[in-house]
Amino acid sequence: MSSSGTGRDRAETRRLRGLPAYPLAGIPEVKARLHAEGRDVIDLGAGDCGLPVPDEAVAALREACARPDLQRYAFQRGLPELREAISDWMARRYGRRLDPDREILPLVGSKEGLGHLAFAALDRGDSVLIPDPGYAPYFGGPYMAEARLERCPLRPEEGFLVPPDRVRTCPGDLRLVYVNYPNNPTAAVATLDYVREMVRVTTDRGALLVYDNAYAEIAFDGFRPPSLLEVDGGLENGLEFHSFSKSFNMTGWRLGWACGGGAWIERLARVKSFFDTGPYLPIQAAGAAVLRDPEPFLDRNLARLAARRDAATAAFAQAGFEVSPPQATLYLWMAVPAGEGSVEYCRRLLESEAVVLLPGSALGEAGEGYVRAAFTVPVDRYAEAAERALRLA
Ligand code: PLP
């Protein structure tokens, strides 16, 4: 490609140019225009449900903000009381105690850890298996690290699971495998047997299994999403990622953690030491306070989300979409009516009916043909959103 006299932006690197454009980059402007026109916009786009955070988080943050000793750099390992609270909580939750000094690493939201991990685990040209559709950092980190991206299409007939055989047959020097259940965007869930099998096949390939468990606590009807901590050998060649964002509605606080085999925690911490200096210590103190006794909050919050899920499922089913209530996550994953492209459909729905859905293709080519609706609005709004979708068809 010629770079002289073509008018191309010379400040844009080859790396930057290779990043896919977000198909609905224009959404905030369209929304602002619709608001200005006095339209009633229903935004089911981002996975941010807007419900209150735990009172314990706010109280602990308030107190910690006033402590002079907590205003300094956190550095990588952060606040010991957060790592201890995480270790205690995971021991209660999964029956396995992690070493808070060696096996737990606080993150500035799990997204940054999922992305930065690529620099710890991949050399240029190494293979990485990523789900398609899938969460952006599974692509972004390995792409920036110049790895060889092997996409695994998630198919309805396979329960939207990454088939273990795909790990066995993945070409190249496979070093890293990202999986995410409960799954964004398909809302698929995995069994403990599936996790066991994935541990087995990734170990056989000598690859690191990244288990993104961001939705571990967003499950309904008694379903308990499994964890690598429940599998023998799961943490030797595995890292699990957790987040305060979805479990405790703390999306803006930017707090998560990675846990697993000590060597990988140390490698990720080393990479991170060149990018960030850890989450703000008072936010870590708030996280520790939340994890001391989270069950009452989780029960109350899940009841509200389950009511939204039921309202959303009923409303979109009524409007003719093929949906059943998901067992976990904040999402309905629905086929686009009449085979229309997902971006085109979402654009029309926004422009003419002021409803925001996420087009499946925004999360990977294999997401084409689907849209995602998040449980972001109160129960009484889904019927209106679905009626507008019906009107559009
Ligand atoms: N993993 C998945 C699959 C997600 O969908 C999200 C958020 O949308 C996260 C991780 C990250 O959360 P955070 O960076 O807010 O901890």
Side-chain angles (χ1 to χ4, degrees), residues 47 108-112 114 135 137-138 180 182-184 212-215 242-246 250-251 254-256 331 372:
V108 192
S110 59
K111 185 179 195 176
E112 66 87 357
L114 289 161
Y135 190 44
Y138 312 155
N180 161 228
N183 183 256
N184 172 18
D212 180 358
N213 221 338
Y215 297 88
H242 285 261
S243 171
F244 284 81
S245 292
K246 315 293 171 175
M250 291 167 67
T251 47
R254 312 312 301 132
L255 190 62
Y331 309 117
R372 192 192 76 181

Side-chain angles (χ1 to χ4, degrees), residues 36-230:
E37 290 166 6
R39 306 277 299 280
D40 167 32
V41 178
I42 304 179
D43 188 344
L44 308 180
D48 197 344
C49 65
L51 289 168
V53 305
D55 292 341
E56 295 83 348
V58 178
L61 178 64
R62 247 196 209 118
E63 197 188 313
C65 275
R67 276 177 53 185
D69 59 318
L70 294 184
Q71 309 311 311
R72 321 189 80 163
Y73 288 124
F75 294 112
Q76 301 315 313
R77 297 304 164 109
L79 199 66
E81 74 190 67
L82 173 61
R83 284 182 277 109
E84 279 149 24
I86 291 170
S87 172
D88 289 349
W89 154 246
M90 298 196 92
R92 293 201 302 282
R93 175 81 168 78
Y94 298 116
R96 165 144 186 207
R97 181 167 294 280
L98 297 170
D99 177 343
D101 295 328
R102 288 182 47 256
E103 295 181 312
I104 294 169
L105 184 68
L107 301 170
V108 192
S110 59
K111 185 179 195 176
E112 66 87 357
L114 289 161
H116 284 143
L117 179 66
F119 295 98
L122 297 166
D123 277 321
R124 179 186 298 164
D126 287 345
S127 287
V128 52
L129 190 62
I130 63 170
D132 180 357
Y135 190 44
Y138 312 155
F139 167 85
Y143 165 78
M144 305 269 182
E146 301 189 49
R148 169 176 171 172
L149 282 144
E150 293 290 335
R151 290 182 173 77
C152 176
L154 303 183
R155 300 197 166 97
E157 61 274 23
E158 292 168 334
F160 295 112
L161 294 168
V162 171
D165 259 347
R166 187 70 177 81
V167 176
R168 288 191 189 97
T169 59
C170 185
D173 188 4
L174 181 66
R175 305 311 297 260
L176 192 54
V177 176
Y178 286 94
V179 290
N180 161 228
Y181 297 103
N183 183 256
N184 172 18
T186 67
V189 297
T191 62
L192 186 56
D193 277 344
Y194 172 81
V195 180
R196 263 194 209 105
E197 183 62 8
M198 289 302 279
V199 167
R200 196 171 307 134
V201 290
T202 47
T203 304
D204 286 351
R205 282 293 308 254
L208 171 67
L209 176 62
V210 174
Y211 201 76
D212 180 358
N213 221 338
Y215 297 88
E217 306 310 322
I218 309 295
F220 309 108
D221 313 326
F223 174 66
R224 303 281 276 170
S227 159
L228 287 185
L229 274 73
E230 297 170 301

